[in-house]
Structure formats: structure tokens, C-alpha cells
Amino acid sequence: MNESHSASYAAAGVDITAGYKAVELMKQHVARTMTAGMAENIGGFGGLFQLDTAGMKAPCLVSGTDGVGTKIRIAQLLDKHDTIGIDCVAMCVNDVICCGAKPLFFLDYIACGKNIPEKIASIVAGVAEGCVQAGCALVGGETAEHPGIMSAEDYDLAGFTVGVVDREKVIDKNKMAVGDVVIALPSTGVHSNGFSLIRRVFNVERANLHTPIDALGGRGLGEVLLTPTRIYVKALLALLEQTEVHGVSHITGGGFYENIPRSIPDGLGARIEKTSLRIPAIFDFIAKSGDIPQRDMFNTFNMGVGMSVVVPKEQADRALAVLRENGEDAYLMGEIAAGEEKVVLC
């Protein structure tokens, strides 16, 4: 038992004993993420991970960091904190997989106005679940109390991941060619972007987030908005093993118009068939409620597509089969064409 205690620090608003309790409560969740390279060291000064590069000619480490933005306010309003950590992991690991890297480990950072151990452990439970879904280890993190800077019930969450890929297997967008197909991997909804706009449209501070809404299939707005971001790592790793992949885009803030172009070389563009898109009801509800133009919707939200993948046309059927075998209801949404306009909705 840790006997460290500072009455003076507690009087200033920082309870270090609460921090120790939070660490003890989260250990059971961290244990779920144990992988071959992880060395148990929760509570130490650094997260240890033994890197296995067997079979790699030139291993490259790939890092990614992100938070969940103002979606966190929805979790606070609903007083439900056990899924927001999944979003945090997803925003990081879904980025590094875009170049073909397998996520190895993850660290989180929680800043809070007051350390309530059970609440912190609930947040970390979500982080651990995200790591399990991504196949990476939760090797450490940090929880910091910020009294006087944040209100007692307030908190923010960010994360950091490191992955590895053999240099010769990094996804090369320069192999992309006219006629390649664009595959959609469906999102679970809004994911973790555009929430500042959403909060304004629905005035969430005063809205009843629990009221069932017919347009959302009888679900409450809060429940729909808090749906965790989907993690695509395992399905994409399988795809990379079995097919040739010319590009992967994680559709986050900036929507189609900012993210898809990042995986397309100069001189080519993606022609997206709007009629092929499977757009969840929440997006139509947002657009109608806020009188938001179509262009802004596609330039802010994922519109039902969490990831886009470009493969050669002759490998399209195989790619779809692999993705579906690995739990993704993937479908064709367009093709690569010549031109300087990176994204065309037609």
C-alpha cells in the first residue's frame, strides 16, 4: 500500500492518494491489453515494450497522436465515460494504419479538474477496450489534476501510439492508377469529428439527450452521438497481407474533401458515386436540423465512411471478400480517374 500523502497538496485541490487508487483500479483493464512485447510496469516512470522485428528488412516506427475533441462533452453530459477511450485509441491507430503500420502500444493522458478514481478507471476501461480491438498494448499513461484550471467534473483525454511497418511494405500512393477502385469501410456514425458544430446545432447543454427520436430509430441523440469510433486495424492488416493496396484514408475532420486527397498522388482524383453511399440517419438529421449544405456536410463529417481504401480493379472482389471476412461490411463507392480535382461527388 502506498503511504504517500500530502495534506497541503490536498488543500490546494490535488489528492495524490486518489491518483494511487485510480492506478490500482485501472490495472485490471490494462491487463486485458497485454501483448508479447509488453513488460508490466504500470505505475513506473516509463512504458516498456520489446520490439520484435523478426522478418523485417528495414523496420520503420510510425507514431500518431490525437484526442477526441469536444465529443468528450457528450460523455460528460450523459455521465457515461466507459467508451470515450475507444474513440481516443481509434483516432490514433486508424491514422497509423493508413501507411500500413501495425500499432504496437498506446499511452493515454487524462487531465481532470478532480481525480475521481472510479471515473478515471472507467475512462481507462474504454482506452483498454480500444487497445484490445486494435491489438496493441496499453503500456502507460498519465492522469493530471488541474484544480482552478478545470471544473471538478471536467476532463480531457488524449493519446499516443507507436506502430511498425517494414519500409518496403509502406503503402505507396504513387502506384495508384486510373481505373483503381475506391472501397468504403462503413463508420459507426459521427465518430469523433465535427462535435463543435453538432453541439451548436442541437444546443446540447440544454437539450434532453435521452429523448427517443423517430428519425434516429427511436434512440436518443446522446446515445447515437456517443457511439464509439470504429477501429479498422485488424481488417486492414489482413487486407494488406492478401491484396495490393494503393491508398488508405482515415475520414476524420475535414471529411471527404480533406482526407481522401491525402492518399492520392498528383494528376489523379477520386470519383465518388453519391448513390452508392450508405449514409446513417444521424447525418441527415444533423443537416436538416442545422440547415447545413451538402458540401459542408461532406467537408466536416465522415458521412458514413470511416475509411476509404484504393485497390487495383482486378483485385476488388478479393479485397471486398477479405474485408468482409474480417468484420467490415465494405462496398465499392467509386474509382480513380485522371484530373486535378481530388474528390468529385457524382
Side-chain angles (χ1 to χ4, degrees):
M1 177 136 182
N2 196 314
E3 300 192 13
S4 174
H5 174 69
S6 171
S8 298
Y9 210 5
V14 178
D15 185 355
I16 57 177
T17 58
Y20 299 137
K21 183 179 179 182
V23 170
E24 289 301 315
L25 290 175
M26 68 179 67
K27 282 184 177 180
Q28 61 179 311
H29 304 300
V30 175
R32 297 181 57 219
T33 76
M34 289 286 290
T35 63
M38 182 179 177
E40 187 172 358
N41 190 40
I42 298 300
F45 289 96
L48 306 180
F49 192 90
Q50 185 171 339
L51 181 62
D52 180 5
T53 59
M56 294 187 184
K57 295 179 180 178
C60 291
L61 295 179
V62 182
S63 59
T65 186
D66 209 339
V68 294
T70 59
K71 180 174 183 173
I72 218 156
R73 185 59 182 152
I74 308 301
Q76 293 168 348
L77 290 170
L78 294 179
D79 193 23
K80 179 174 170 54
H81 312 285
D82 60 344
T83 62
I84 201 75
I86 300 175
D87 292 285
C88 187
V89 175
M91 295 303 291
C92 297
V93 299
N94 283 346
D95 275 355
V96 301
I97 191 62
C98 287
C99 66
K102 171 182 170 54
L104 297 172
F105 58 83
F106 189 86
L107 294 96
D108 60 29
Y109 176 83
I110 304 170
C112 58
K114 180 178 177 58
N115 187 331
I116 302 171
E118 293 77 12
K119 184 175 181 178
I120 298 300
S122 181
I123 296 169
V124 174
V127 174
E129 173 58 27
C131 289
V132 169
Q133 291 182 24
C136 66
L138 178 56
V139 298
E142 172 70 9
T143 301
E145 278 188 285
H146 291 170
I149 303 297
M150 305 173 76
S151 64
E153 71 279 359
D154 200 11
Y155 68 89
D156 196 12
L157 173 65
F160 173 83
T161 193
V162 171
V164 65
V165 61
D166 201 340
R167 185 67 183 86
E168 65 182 19
K169 293 185 178 180
V170 172
I171 297 173
D172 184 2
K173 67 180 182 181
N174 292 310
K175 294 181 179 179
M176 199 174 294
V178 172
D180 284 358
V181 298
V182 185
I183 295 174
L185 275 62
S187 70
T188 51
V190 179
H191 283 183
S192 300
N193 301 101
F195 274 85
S196 292
L197 175 57
I198 288 170
R199 289 185 303 113
R200 183 188 65 78
V201 167
F202 295 112
N203 191 13
V204 298
E205 298 296 326
R206 296 185 178 183
N208 187 333
L209 299 177
H210 298 281
T211 301
I213 297 174
D214 289 343
L216 301 178
R219 301 169 69 195
L221 178 62
E223 176 190 353
V224 173
L225 293 176
L226 202 57
T227 303
T229 305
R230 188 162 182 82
I231 292 175
Y232 302 95
V233 169
K234 292 180 179 178
L236 286 173
L237 287 174
L239 182 70
L240 290 166
E241 285 292 322
Q242 299 181 55
T243 66
E244 184 177 349
V245 177
H246 291 166
V248 179
S249 295
H250 183 198
I251 313 300
T252 55
F256 279 42
Y257 290 107
E258 285 190 22
N259 292 287
I260 293 178
R262 295 164 69 177
S263 66
I264 300 177
D266 292 342
L268 298 177
R271 293 181 58 84
I272 307 299
E273 297 288 342
K274 281 192 297 184
T275 56
S276 72
L277 298 176
R278 304 171 186 174
I279 302 175
I282 181 62
F283 295 107
D284 186 51
F285 190 59
I286 292 169
K288 289 181 178 177
S289 299
D291 192 24
I292 302 172
Q294 177 182 276
R295 169 79 191 199
D296 288 357
M297 290 296 295
F298 277 91
N299 207 168
T300 305
F301 301 106
N302 67 60
M303 300 303 288
V305 181
M307 296 281 247
S308 68
V309 180
V310 178
V311 302
K313 186 174 183 178
E314 62 273 14
Q315 296 190 43
D317 289 343
R318 178 57 181 155
L320 289 169
V322 171
L323 289 167
R324 290 166 182 167
E325 288 165 6
N326 285 274
E328 299 300 331
D329 189 18
Y331 63 92
L332 296 179
M333 69 171 184
E335 65 177 8
I336 299 299
E340 294 304 319
E341 196 169 0
K342 291 295 186 182
V343 176
V344 179
L345 295 178
C346 52

